[in-house]
Amino acid sequence: MARKSKSAAGKTPFHAVVEKVQRGTISDKEFSNYFVAQPNPRQPFDFTIGINRAAVELQGVEKSGKFADALVHDASIGRDRQIRRAAPPKGFQRKSPIVAEGDSWFRLPQVIMPPTLIDVLQETYGYAIDNMAHWGDTLADMIQVGQFWPPLTSGQADTFLFSAGGNDVLGGDGGIARFLNLFDVGHTKPSDAAYYIKPEFYQNLRLIVQSYESLVQRVHLRAPNVIMLGHGYDYVIPRVDGPWIGNGMMYVGLDPTFRPALCQAIIRIMIDAFNNALAAFATTYSNYRYVDLRGAIGKTQWHDELHPTAAGAAKTAARFDAALRKLPKSGAFTAPLIASRALFGRAA
């Protein structure tokens, strides 16, 4: 006899939720009903995923709720496979699927949050993408696990989309406050923004950029036919009581309510510094393409402090689509070996 999908209290048993995820039969309505997502204030770009106890019966399996994050991630991967099209979009002449690794700008909890630029590239433009991204992952997480290497080094894929460094740049576990000076009445104008950024920010940025560059170099050497595309985010907007940026700024006396222009100018300097570093890679490494997303998202197109709405994500996806269509066809690019060896010793 088949197990009932509803408990006596009208809730869906947890095992039934798991089965739906595993079979790929969970609907968008069920998904938004069974799961909840809350910002993780200790990690920019991260979310804490939970089970909606009002809709899911966890009696007797309470500890299973800790698997919510993995279930949501697995469901997202299953959805990717369902929407994958047989042929790539016209104008793209490289191997499919594309490999993508990254943070929440490449993958968010589906349905609960707006689509990402990867979702738009898949659903609107028709790119086949093997998306390995996970919200909250740091640059170090991605490099250490290295799950993107097999398809790149084996030759199965020759295009690599990468989104990383944002949570590291904005303070990570320590929060953005550690990079900011206390509010000073003598520095109240947006033009004073540079005053508030401590040297520690640039020291941290230097380490992030070195790690990022090391990865670019390794791709250059280990997968010379692969072209890597990266971005440095858009100008995120601090919010009052914002869990990732706003609260940290308020902690040092920089209130986004009363001084929004100053707060935004500070963030702008930080975002520009990271973008400028990535843009420089494109002039040094033949296997790297920098996609500038700054200015793509309108001020009313932010879902929260760090993530765009569906309309904002569509604009960032358009820029990636334009970059992808400009890439040389498969077989027409190989990173020069001599240059690679010379450059490999360049990273600190």
Side-chain angles (χ1 to χ4, degrees), residues 100-111:
E101 175 63 286
D103 50 27
S104 60
W105 270 50
F106 273 12
R107 188 186 294 285
L108 283 169
Q110 66 178 58
V111 182

Side-chain angles (χ1 to χ4, degrees), residues 74-95:
D74 288 349
S76 298
I77 293 175
R79 193 179 195 187
D80 290 346
R81 292 171 180 157
Q82 290 176 6
I83 64 175
R84 183 171 291 179
R85 300 181 189 177
K90 185 178 181 181
F92 181 70
Q93 304 180 74
R94 298 181 67 75
K95 293 179 180 179

Side-chain angles (χ1 to χ4, degrees), residues 238-250:
R239 293 187 178 183
V240 180
D241 294 326
W244 297 300
I245 307 176
N247 281 342
M249 299 191 99
M250 292 177 72

Side-chain angles (χ1 to χ4, degrees), residues 12-48:
T12 301
F14 179 72
H15 72 77
V17 175
V18 174
E19 290 173 1
K20 286 177 178 289
V21 170
Q22 291 176 336
R23 295 173 181 172
T25 59
I26 186 169
S27 68
D28 287 354
K29 183 178 180 180
E30 289 172 328
F31 199 95
S32 61
N33 191 35
Y34 297 155
F35 299 99
V36 293
Q38 295 293 333
N40 177 3
R42 295 184 60 82
Q43 183 82 337
F45 295 86
D46 192 22
F47 292 86
T48 299

Side-chain angles (χ1 to χ4, degrees), residues 194-239:
Y195 165 82
Y196 289 99
I197 303 176
K198 291 181 177 180
E200 286 85 344
F201 168 76
Y202 295 101
Q203 294 165 5
N204 179 64
L205 178 64
R206 190 175 300 113
L207 295 175
I208 296 165
V209 170
Q210 287 175 352
S211 294
Y212 197 117
E213 183 175 18
S214 178
L215 176 60
V216 176
Q217 293 172 339
R218 277 182 277 169
V219 172
H220 196 94
L221 288 173
R222 296 182 62 186
N225 297 318
V226 170
I227 296 179
M228 178 177 176
L229 291 83
H231 72 92
Y233 310 92
D234 199 353
Y235 298 120
V236 298
I237 301 177
R239 293 187 178 183

